[in-house]
């Protein structure tokens, strides 16, 4: 194969000039929750299925919202700091040693739902948000 044959050509206006992303970047600084002190209505409680996550935009920030099997609610920033991808709401919800966690769907790190701390590296933390239910509606609050 010649160098000419190995060159990739991109249609005009597509990914031409784009750079490949590092598949294992250094974890980013944890995201901070929204600066507001109010509450944002997200969805009716009955729309949240136990052991599954959903993503909502709260004050411009992607927030992963989880309802555990025992009906507790948790909210974390949706960006996985290990991959920098907004994917935590698609993670697998479970329990490790009595700690409710979500496993990132990309590199499988576990984040404690109560604190946002990565169990495999306690220096890495995902922001958490307060959650409440008012008249059957789930609300996510600022810090």
């Amino acid at each position: 194969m010649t160098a000419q044959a190995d060159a990739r050509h991109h249609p005009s206006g597509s990914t031409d000039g784009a750079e490949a992303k590092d598949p294992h970047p250094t974890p980013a600084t944890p995201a901070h929750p929204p600066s507001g002190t109010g509450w944002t209505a997200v969805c009716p409680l009955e729309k949240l299925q136990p052991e599954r996550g959903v993503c909502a935009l709260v004050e411009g920030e992607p927030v992963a919202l989880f309802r555990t099997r025992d009906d507790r609610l948790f909210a974390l920033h949706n960006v996985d700091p290990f991959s920098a991808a907004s994917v935590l709401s698609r993670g697998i919800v479970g329990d490790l040693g009595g700690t409710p966690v979500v496993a990132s769907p990309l590199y499988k790190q576990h984040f404690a739902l109560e604190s946002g701390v990565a169990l495999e590296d306690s220096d890495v933390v995902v922001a958490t948000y307060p959650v409440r239910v008012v008249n059957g509606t789930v609300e996510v609050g600022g810090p």
Side-chain angles (χ1 to χ4, degrees):
M1 178 180 301
T2 66
Q4 181 71 19
D6 193 37
R8 296 186 180 171
H9 299 281
H10 302 272
S12 178
S14 67
T15 58
D16 192 21
E19 295 180 23
K21 293 185 176 180
D22 181 357
H24 302 286
T26 302
T29 302
H32 299 285
S35 59
T37 57
W39 293 88
T40 301
V42 175
C43 66
L45 177 62
E46 69 266 11
K47 294 290 185 182
L48 293 179
Q49 296 180 7
E51 305 297 310
R52 303 194 77 178
V54 298
C55 184
L57 200 57
V58 178
E59 296 186 27
E61 295 291 328
V63 175
L65 188 61
F66 301 97
R67 179 179 183 181
T68 56
R69 193 170 307 281
D70 59 359
D71 269 341
R72 293 190 297 162
L73 298 172
F74 301 95
L76 305 174
H77 200 273
N78 197 44
V79 175
D80 174 355
F82 291 96
S83 66
S86 187
V87 296
L88 289 182
S89 63
R90 295 179 178 248
I92 299 170
V93 177
D95 179 292
L96 287 178
T99 301
V101 298
V102 60
S104 172
L106 294 180
Y107 300 130
K108 313 304 182 211
Q109 283 88 3
H110 299 90
F111 296 92
L113 293 175
E114 294 174 331
S115 65
V117 173
L119 299 186
E120 291 81 6
D121 183 349
S122 61
D123 291 336
V124 179
V125 180
V126 177
T128 60
Y129 305 86
V131 182
R132 70 182 183 185
V133 178
V134 176
N135 297 326
T137 299
V138 177
E139 297 180 344
V140 175

